[in-house]
Amino acid sequence: MSSDKITFCLNWQAAPYHIPIFLALTKGYFKEQGLDIAVLEPSNPSDVTELIGSGKVDMGLKAMIHTLAAKARGFPVTSVASLLDEPFTGLLYLPESGITEDFQSLRGKKIGYVGEFGKIQLDELTKHYGMTPDDYTAVRCGMNVAKYILEGKIHAGIGIECMQQVELEEYLKAHNRPVSEAKMLRIDKLACLGCCCFCTVLYICNDEFLRKNPEKVKKFLKAIKKATDYVLQDAENAWKEYVDFKPALNNPLSYKQFQRCYAYFSESLYNVHRDWRKVTGYGKRLEILPPDYVSNYTNEYLTWPEPAEVSDPLEAQRLMAIHQASCRDQPSFKRLSLPA
């Protein structure tokens, strides 16, 4: 094996928001940095942090809450950059489920979740709203939440606005129903978090690999930054190149998901300090992190200036919700401009 090879594991099978990784590969940006990247797609998203933490894989993608929990459980991983910043995440449902904006309407329902920590989140929320885990039936769905809802296997499930919610909307549209019937109870609002940063998708490294290969990681991130810049500057052509390499994504659903992911892409790739403080506190509240836990992230491998954080994160989330609703009704490639 080449000494310049990096094994990189996606958080799930290739999806629209993985475009920077694959374009860095196909456009030769990794090669420009003298790197050879092997991109792996897991059959089970819950395996990713274990594979990276055990050293079987060098780098990969994982959500912030899972990255924190992995280190707390003895899997040495560190976030070195961000891919998707704060995608809206929550309990997706359709009106016929009998679920409303009242959390108590989940009583007696079948609720889907992706992995172990989704179940922990649901249990903590039920406690917060005066219920117990016995008041609902938990169903592990993996990434197939929308599929399970449409098949009637669950009444609601944890999903992401730019992915599973779009699946529900496309189903509604195909059946001449308003896309607005695809509803979400956002977890950040239910849990009083103030933002959806717990589901920010991160570039993570095995700690030993990171310690031994700091220059490799810097080069990897330079290539990713160049690919991300290309995606943000020319989304249409970037998408054409991506689906030429990944023809399974060459369909209307994936294209619409890409449009909805577009505003969430991190332009700077920087880990946001405020978000890490907030999610570390949330992890302690969920009791998946010890009281003295120190957040496992760093920005030292990013070699360009760090941008200022937004001045009002709550207002930013409000504006993002309006922006994404507009993208739903009039699909386009637009970014939300926020004051620092």
Side-chain angles (χ1 to χ4, degrees):
M1 183 179 290
S2 166
S3 61
D4 292 319
K5 185 177 286 290
I6 294 175
T7 50
F8 186 91
C9 190
L10 303 179
N11 54 337
W12 186 228
Q13 60 196 21
Y17 62 86
H18 294 139
I19 187 170
I21 295 105
F22 284 101
L23 287 187
L25 191 67
T26 60
K27 294 184 76 64
Y29 297 156
F30 288 133
K31 190 175 182 180
E32 286 175 1
Q33 295 295 328
L35 299 176
D36 182 10
I37 309 299
V39 180
L40 311 174
E41 299 181 21
S43 57
N44 183 346
S46 297
D47 291 339
V48 176
T49 45
E50 182 175 347
L51 288 169
I52 298 170
S54 65
K56 293 183 175 70
V57 176
D58 301 322
M59 300 182 67
L61 297 174
K62 205 62 183 170
M64 189 181 290
I65 189 71
H66 299 114
T67 302
L68 285 160
K71 189 70 172 278
R73 292 193 163 193
F75 294 114
V77 296
T78 297
S79 170
V80 293
S82 299
L83 169 60
L84 283 189
D85 275 339
E86 302 185 53
F88 291 141
T89 306
L91 286 161
L92 293 166
Y93 64 95
L94 297 175
E96 55 263 36
S97 66
I99 296 170
T100 68
E101 293 186 1
D102 179 2
F103 190 86
Q104 292 282 340
S105 66
L106 295 174
R107 194 183 294 272
K109 304 297 186 185
K110 296 177 184 176
I111 310 299
Y113 64 97
V114 176
E116 177 185 2
F117 297 111
K119 176 67 166 63
I120 292 171
Q121 284 181 304
L122 286 172
D123 287 350
E124 199 267 345
L125 285 171
T126 55
K127 181 180 178 182
H128 182 71
Y129 286 90
M131 297 162 59
T132 73
D134 293 331
D135 288 323
Y136 78 99
T137 301
V139 179
R140 188 162 183 162
C141 302
M143 297 293 192
N144 297 313
V145 168
K147 180 175 181 287
Y148 274 42
I149 289 173
L150 296 176
E151 291 176 351
K153 295 177 180 177
I154 58 175
H155 298 96
I158 297 176
I160 300 177
E161 178 263 334
C162 55
M163 294 299 295
Q164 289 90 353
Q165 184 168 331
V166 178
E167 287 185 60
L168 294 180
E169 291 167 0
E170 289 303 291
Y171 166 84
L172 292 167
K173 190 182 297 183
H175 289 78
N176 298 313
R177 293 170 58 180
V179 294
S180 58
E181 289 187 9
K183 304 289 188 182
M184 175 185 282
L185 294 173
R186 279 173 42 190
I187 289 177
D188 62 309
K189 290 186 174 182
L190 294 172
C192 304
L193 289 176
C195 69
C196 268
C197 42
F198 68 90
C199 219
T200 291
V201 180
L202 307 166
Y203 295 94
I204 68 173
C205 285
N206 171 272
D207 284 356
E208 176 124 357
F209 173 81
L210 186 59
R211 182 180 63 80
K212 291 181 176 179
N213 301 279
E215 292 306 312
K216 266 192 191 181
V217 174
K218 287 179 183 178
K219 290 176 180 180
F220 175 92
L221 293 173
K222 283 179 183 177
I224 288 293
K225 179 67 164 67
K226 188 171 182 178
T228 302
D229 289 345
Y230 175 60
V231 170
L232 297 182
Q233 290 161 11
D234 194 354
E236 291 280 7
N237 281 321
W239 181 253
K240 289 176 184 176
E241 291 182 40
Y242 185 31
V243 297
D244 184 56
F245 182 71
K246 282 287 184 182
L249 295 176
N250 193 9
N251 58 72
L253 172 61
S254 294
Y255 183 66
K256 287 174 183 176
Q257 289 172 326
F258 176 52
Q259 288 178 314
R260 293 276 276 280
C261 289
Y262 187 73
Y264 294 127
F265 282 113
S266 173
E267 183 175 9
S268 72
L269 309 188
Y270 269 80
N271 286 287
V272 180
H273 305 290
R274 179 196 64 247
D275 292 350
W276 275 91
R277 290 193 296 271
K278 192 169 290 187
V279 181
T280 299
Y282 181 47
K284 292 175 182 178
R285 190 174 110 193
L286 293 174
E287 298 183 348
I288 61 174
L289 303 178
D292 59 349
Y293 188 86
V294 177
S295 304
N296 51 319
Y297 77 98
T298 179
N299 287 323
E300 67 178 285
Y301 301 93
L302 301 172
T303 55
W304 46 91
E306 181 174 1
E309 296 183 6
V310 295
S311 56
D312 188 341
L314 286 176
E315 176 65 3
Q317 291 277 274
R318 187 186 73 82
L319 293 174
M320 182 62 87
I322 295 170
H323 180 278
Q324 290 301 87
S326 174
C327 186
R328 178 196 66 195
D329 298 334
Q330 295 180 311
S332 63
F333 291 107
K334 292 182 180 178
R335 298 275 290 171
L336 185 62
S337 179
L338 296 169

